[in-house]
Amino acid sequence: MKHSDGFDARRLRPRTTGNWRLRLGAGVAALFATFGVLLSMAGIATFLGRPASLGPLNESPAAASIVVISGLLLLSFGVMLWRRCRRRLRRTSDLSMAPHLMKKRD
């Protein structure tokens, strides 16, 4: 016998928590990557002989190299954090599969 009155399939699935933390983390990671690119560009501009864009912070070549290295580190950290957040956002909580078995979309 078929009882379709009052049946709701959404009750059978577990409730998913909001993923606002992962979205916020991805946004912060994108900001880190953007600031890393800007710092690297400012340091490279000093190497190319353009006026110092950060004032006295990168007037010498040694200080400019520190700015470039810190910009590249910030860029790589931002990209890694963004990819991790995006991977967890796309992961479904219904199945427990290994990450290397998922589709490579990121």
Side-chain angles (χ1 to χ4, degrees):
M1 181 162 30
K2 201 171 173 185
H3 291 305
S4 62
D5 189 27
F7 177 73
D8 188 15
R10 286 176 281 175
R11 285 186 307 162
L12 298 176
R13 294 184 184 176
R15 291 189 179 192
T16 58
T17 59
N19 52 4
W20 57 271
R21 289 178 299 199
L22 291 174
R23 290 180 193 265
L24 184 66
V28 169
L31 285 176
F32 282 164
T34 302
F35 289 141
V37 168
L38 291 176
L39 271 178
S40 299
M41 288 174 57
I44 290 172
T46 302
F47 281 134
L48 295 177
R50 304 284 182 213
S53 55
L54 293 178
L57 188 61
N58 65 340
E59 287 180 349
S60 68
S65 65
I66 291 173
V67 168
V68 169
I69 290 171
S70 64
L72 290 176
L73 287 175
L74 193 61
L75 173 66
S76 62
F77 175 71
V79 168
M80 285 189 306
L81 184 64
W82 182 78
R83 290 187 69 198
R84 179 177 292 165
C85 288
R86 291 289 295 171
R87 192 177 303 132
R88 287 192 180 175
L89 273 171
R90 290 179 183 262
R91 184 180 302 170
T92 60
S93 62
D94 296 336
L95 298 176
S96 297
M97 292 179 63
H100 69 277
L101 296 176
M102 295 175 61
K103 289 185 180 178
K104 306 290 191 274
R105 292 191 182 179
D106 287 345

